[in-house]
Amino acid sequence: MSPPIFSSVVRSIFEFVVLVSRALYLLALFSPAIFIAPLADSFGGQFRQAWLKLVHHTLELAGAAFIKWGQWAATRPDLFPRDLCSELSKLHTKAPAHKYSHTLRTVEKAFGRKLQDIFEEFDEEPVASGSIAQVHKATLRYSYPGKKARPVLVAVKVRHPGVSEVIRRDFMIIKGIANLSTFVPGLRWLRLDESVQQFAVFMLTQVDLAREAAHLSRFLYNFRQWNDVSFPRPLYPLVHPAVLVETYEQGESVSRFVELPEKTRINSALAHIGTHTLLKMLLVDNFIHADMHPGNILVRVKKKRLQAGKRLFPTRPEVVFLDVGMTAELSSHDRVNLLDFFKAVALRDGRTAAECALKFSRDQSCPDPASFIEDVESSFKLWGSEEGGDIHPGDCMQDLLEQVRRHRVNVDGDVCTVMVTTMVLEGWQRKLDPDYNIMNTLQTLLFKVDWANSLSYTINGIMAP
């Protein structure tokens, strides 16, 4: 046997042993949560809460691929119970950081230069660490002969060591389980094999930091005329699949404004900006930031002096969106259908909303569509009645997705991601300003006869300088 063939065989055997060992470890790790699941459904209450926390903890221990799967699953209330989605949405937590020596090696290998030749200053301790990468604060080095350039503060995102290989192996295991599920009649409706393919695309965009840079550039172009919305700017050529250098964005988390006991003028402005940002992404650009939880949103409030000698007053806030690795785009069919769905929800038209939901997948396998339409129509009649008049449209959408799950209605991943993003945004905006209704704003725009031609002009006229 020639040396190259022998080396290839040894590598294959080693890879197989590692894969089997990893599969056995994951089986042992997930066994408690799997065996307790039927009891959690039966007993409910505190027992179920303990099981949800166990699932959360198990996914964290399982590593990057499973943390990302949990974050993705949190956006699929059409597949998983609402309380599980709520618990999995908490997986946006600080992950362990890797050593500075790995950061140093990765940056120098990516750009082919010494770290000190690129950066004037570089903080060894990361300011944040996620399941895929960690972020360091640094100052770029500029060398213009005879000129003194202002230092540029940057964020350097560096991928964790070996994360691509670990995710690749774990994905092979997840895919194998999903393929086996197609032979189990009770699980076939979940279409786990297709869901895993959607998840694979999601993971690809998360691991490849050069893709995130491309997303940032696209968002920056789309919002180039808006003073109230911004994104970090990727600093080419310092962009690589394993390292991303972008502008360091200062600001306070939007959570601080959400938690204020008294609502202010700034709160109302933030609700307004957030709503029109989503509507532009959805209705004008068809390119949606699909991870708009409060941890990814910063607020900057500048102050100006209105009159000489008078005190400073806060101006209109600026919203900064971070972490754009996860995005969604819809086909023209899905886009029109989703807008019809939003119209139906706004009008409390249950039959139309249910019919639109059944069109959210080209491969619909709902066992009883008529029963689904009937149940949704019945719920919407309650929501449209005098007793249900106080039920918020966002809550209607939550309940509708619960019925989608119960009736085993298939919903394509990007469509569900957009729906959940809308609900997440609507939820924190309701806390920012209870009087501001995103669904009313959406309804006002959608029911304009010429909305398709005038929407871009209308939104840009409202938001741009």
Side-chain angles (χ1 to χ4, degrees):
M1 187 180 292
S2 63
I5 296 176
F6 177 75
S7 298
S8 177
V9 170
V10 170
R11 277 198 303 272
S12 299
I13 293 172
F14 175 76
E15 183 67 25
F16 176 75
V17 171
V18 171
L19 195 64
V20 170
S21 300
R22 177 67 175 164
L24 291 173
Y25 167 76
L26 291 173
L27 178 63
L29 182 64
F30 279 92
S31 290
I34 292 170
F35 289 134
I36 295 173
L39 298 176
D41 279 336
S42 301
F43 292 106
Q46 291 185 340
F47 193 89
R48 183 168 178 83
Q49 289 302 312
W51 176 76
L52 291 172
K53 285 182 170 39
L54 175 62
V55 172
H56 181 149
H57 185 60
T58 301
L59 290 171
E60 285 184 326
L61 290 176
F66 290 90
I67 291 173
K68 284 298 175 185
W69 181 86
Q71 292 173 352
W72 173 82
T75 69
R76 300 303 305 266
D78 59 315
L79 297 178
F80 305 101
R82 192 186 303 182
D83 57 352
L84 179 59
C85 291
S86 177
E87 183 66 33
L88 295 182
S89 69
K90 299 173 187 174
L91 282 166
H92 299 282
T93 54
K94 184 175 174 64
H98 61 246
K99 293 181 179 179
Y100 173 69
S101 57
H102 172 75
T103 291
L104 182 66
R105 284 194 307 273
T106 305
V107 173
E108 292 183 346
K109 182 180 178 183
F111 303 133
R113 297 164 64 189
K114 292 291 184 183
L115 189 78
Q116 58 267 29
D117 293 337
I118 305 172
F119 303 102
E120 187 80 38
E121 296 178 5
F122 194 98
D123 291 353
E124 294 189 13
E125 287 297 316
V127 294
S129 181
S131 58
I132 300 295
Q134 65 188 43
V135 180
H136 294 262
K137 192 175 179 181
T139 306
L140 275 182
R141 179 184 292 279
Y142 281 105
S143 54
Y144 296 110
K147 291 186 179 180
K148 189 175 181 181
R150 199 174 88 177
V152 177
L153 199 61
V154 296
V156 184
K157 188 177 283 190
V158 183
R159 200 163 60 192
H160 291 313
V163 72
S164 297
E165 280 301 303
V166 171
I167 286 174
R168 182 184 63 80
R169 291 192 188 104
D170 286 352
F171 178 71
M172 288 175 66
I173 295 169
I174 294 171
K175 188 176 179 182
I177 295 170
N179 288 338
L180 286 174
S181 73
T182 60
F183 298 102
V184 182
L187 296 178
R188 198 172 296 149
W189 73 273
L190 285 172
R191 294 189 304 147
L192 289 178
D193 51 337
E194 285 186 38
S195 298
V196 166
Q197 291 301 326
Q198 295 170 9
F199 174 62
V201 175
F202 166 67
M203 282 304 305
L204 180 64
T205 58
Q206 296 281 303
V207 174
D208 186 351
L209 300 183
R211 279 177 175 261
E212 183 173 350
H215 292 168
L216 284 171
S217 297
R218 189 167 170 185
F219 279 122
L220 285 165
Y221 179 80
N222 289 345
F223 287 88
R224 64 195 180 281
Q225 294 182 319
W226 290 35
N227 284 339
D228 303 325
V229 174
S230 64
F231 299 81
R233 181 165 53 90
L235 299 175
Y236 289 96
L238 299 178
V239 171
H240 184 273
V243 184
L244 168 60
V245 180
E246 60 187 21
T247 53
Y248 187 89
E249 301 296 331
Q250 309 275 7
E252 297 182 89
S253 171
V254 73
S255 300
R256 190 182 79 80
F257 297 89
V258 171
E259 292 161 4
L260 286 175
E262 293 182 7
K263 303 312 170 190
T264 65
R265 182 181 63 82
I266 290 177
N267 285 53
S268 298
L270 289 174
H272 175 86
I273 293 167
T275 297
H276 285 86
T277 297
L278 177 63
L279 294 180
K280 176 171 162 52
M281 289 178 182
L282 175 61
L283 304 177
V284 179
D285 305 325
N286 189 26
F287 189 63
I288 302 106
H289 184 338
D291 198 16
M292 284 202 280
H293 64 84
N296 283 343
I297 303 172
L298 299 180
V299 177
R300 288 197 283 250
V301 183
K302 296 178 182 176
K303 293 188 177 181
K304 67 178 182 180
R305 199 182 303 276
L306 295 182
Q307 295 178 1
K310 300 292 184 181
R311 62 194 179 96
L312 296 174
F313 288 90
T315 61
R316 186 177 173 85
E318 178 186 1
V319 180
V320 185
F321 293 94
L322 309 174
D323 289 341
V324 300
M326 185 178 173
T327 60
E329 295 178 70
L330 302 178
S331 67
S332 56
H333 168 271
D334 287 337
R335 203 171 170 208
V336 170
N337 190 44
L338 186 62
L339 297 180
D340 287 340
F341 170 79
F342 282 139
K343 284 183 186 179
V345 172
L347 290 174
R348 304 292 204 275
D349 180 355
R351 174 166 287 274
T352 302
E355 289 171 349
C356 288
L358 289 167
K359 295 177 190 173
F360 283 152
S361 174
R362 296 181 187 276
D363 185 23
Q364 188 55 254
S365 58
C366 173
D368 191 353
S371 176
F372 170 67
I373 293 173
E374 187 180 332
D375 284 356
V376 172
E377 198 169 14
S378 174
S379 297
F380 270 62
K381 280 178 182 173
L382 168 64
W383 297 333
S385 68
E386 213 172 299
E387 306 127 34
D390 293 334
I391 299 176
H392 201 276
D395 296 327
C396 295
M397 283 180 64
Q398 286 275 15
D399 289 337
L400 178 58
L401 282 174
E402 184 65 28
Q403 294 203 47
V404 163
R405 186 183 69 84
R406 205 168 59 246
H407 283 272
R408 303 180 181 181
V409 175
N410 294 330
V411 178
D412 288 341
D414 277 346
V415 175
C416 191
T417 296
V418 172
M419 292 172 69
V420 171
T421 299
T422 304
M423 289 190 296
V424 168
L425 189 67
E426 187 273 335
W428 65 259
Q429 285 185 340
R430 213 189 311 177
K431 294 175 183 175
L432 277 170
D433 184 359
D435 297 326
Y436 194 88
N437 191 326
I438 184 174
M439 294 304 293
N440 284 348
T441 304
L442 185 64
Q443 181 179 349
T444 302
L445 288 171
L446 291 182
F447 287 103
K448 286 186 175 181
V449 176
D450 60 345
W451 76 269
N453 297 320
S454 67
L455 190 58
S456 179
Y457 175 81
T458 302
I459 293 182
N460 283 322
I462 292 170
M463 302 301 294

